């Protein structure tokens, strides 16, 4: 799926989708979703490179955090971006997705943030060396009380790096 001269190279996108299909066939839906989100992020970067969407704004498929380790858990918020669009009347950029606090019992709810709020959020980008799990609650087989917070689960047989010890966060909570 190499591109012709002057067009975008979609090979990394195809590779991420192929890997997602392999994970799905092997019964690892969270790893499949993670690779599909990575493919989506790669496509988003291509679109951003055209100037159609601002470079300094939320990226679909990425998770952002508002707050830090010195903030009470109920005040730390996570935002998983699903879509980025322009407001039809105001013309501002808006990110729409799912949001929750860092409390273990917190549930996800719909949310949105406009371009003037972006500077307050910190991104966890897919090319981050972190291999922690963040959204394990999306699959009933892997749900735990730490969903929404970076944590680890045991490694999947035959799929190194899908879960297991995180090179970026060796002290991440969870099942080591």
């Amino acid at each position: 799926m190499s591109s012709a001269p002057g067009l975008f190279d979609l090979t990394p996108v195809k590779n991420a989708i192929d890997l997602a299909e392999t994970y799905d066939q092997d019964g690892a839906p969270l790893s499949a979703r993670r690779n599909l989100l990575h493919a989506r992020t790669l496509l988003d970067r291509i679109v951003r490179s055209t100037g159609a969407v601002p470079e300094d704004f939320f990226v679909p498929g990425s998770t952002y955090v508002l707050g830090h380790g010195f903030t009470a858990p109920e005040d730390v918020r996570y935002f998983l971006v699903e879509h980025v669009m322009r407001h039809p009347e105001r013309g501002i950029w808006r990110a729409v997705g799912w949001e929750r606090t860092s409390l273990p019992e917190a549930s996800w709810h719909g949310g949105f943030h406009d371009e003037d709020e972006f500077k307050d959020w910190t991104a966890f980008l897919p090319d981050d060396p972190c291999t922690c799990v963040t959204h394990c609650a999306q699959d009933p087989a892997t749900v735990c009380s730490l969903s929404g917070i970076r944590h680890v689960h045991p490694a999947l047989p035959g799929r190194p790096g899908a879960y297991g010890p995180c090179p970026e966060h060796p002290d991440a909570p969870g099942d080591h």
Side-chain angles (χ1 to χ4, degrees):
M1 189 180 226
S2 186
S3 61
L7 298 179
F8 301 103
D9 180 12
L10 298 177
T11 304
V13 177
K14 181 186 181 313
N15 292 343
I17 292 170
D18 289 346
L19 187 56
E21 288 175 349
T22 301
Y23 278 126
D24 188 53
Q25 291 167 358
D26 289 350
L30 281 176
S31 294
R33 185 176 195 286
R34 182 176 179 166
N35 279 279
L36 287 175
L37 288 174
H38 181 63
R40 182 176 173 180
T41 300
L42 293 171
L43 284 172
D44 182 70
R45 288 180 183 163
I46 291 170
V47 170
R48 286 171 189 264
S49 73
T50 68
V53 178
E55 291 286 332
D56 57 343
F57 195 57
F58 295 101
V59 175
S62 295
T63 301
Y64 294 79
V65 64
L66 180 65
H68 48 74
F70 300 105
T71 307
E74 62 272 14
D75 293 333
V76 175
R77 295 188 349 230
Y78 291 91
F79 181 50
L80 172 61
V81 181
E82 290 287 336
H83 306 285
V84 172
M85 65 190 87
R86 278 206 180 271
H87 189 283
E89 293 173 352
R90 297 172 49 212
I92 60 170
W93 286 102
R94 175 167 285 177
V96 179
W98 300 97
E99 194 168 332
R100 65 167 281 174
T101 68
S102 66
L103 290 170
E105 67 274 9
S107 58
W108 290 95
H109 63 276
F112 66 87
H113 295 283
D114 293 336
E115 60 186 284
D116 60 337
E117 301 172 71
F118 176 73
K119 66 185 179 313
D120 300 327
W121 292 84
T122 303
F124 294 123
L125 298 175
D127 54 356
D128 187 337
C130 177
T131 57
C132 291
V133 181
T134 306
H135 304 291
C136 65
Q138 293 172 341
D139 183 350
T142 60
V143 66
C144 81
S145 64
L146 295 171
S147 185
I149 302 168
R150 287 178 182 240
H151 63 285
V152 298
H153 286 283
L156 292 174
R159 294 286 179 236
Y163 296 102
C166 176
E168 177 95 354
H169 305 100
D171 298 327
D175 307 316
H176 293 273

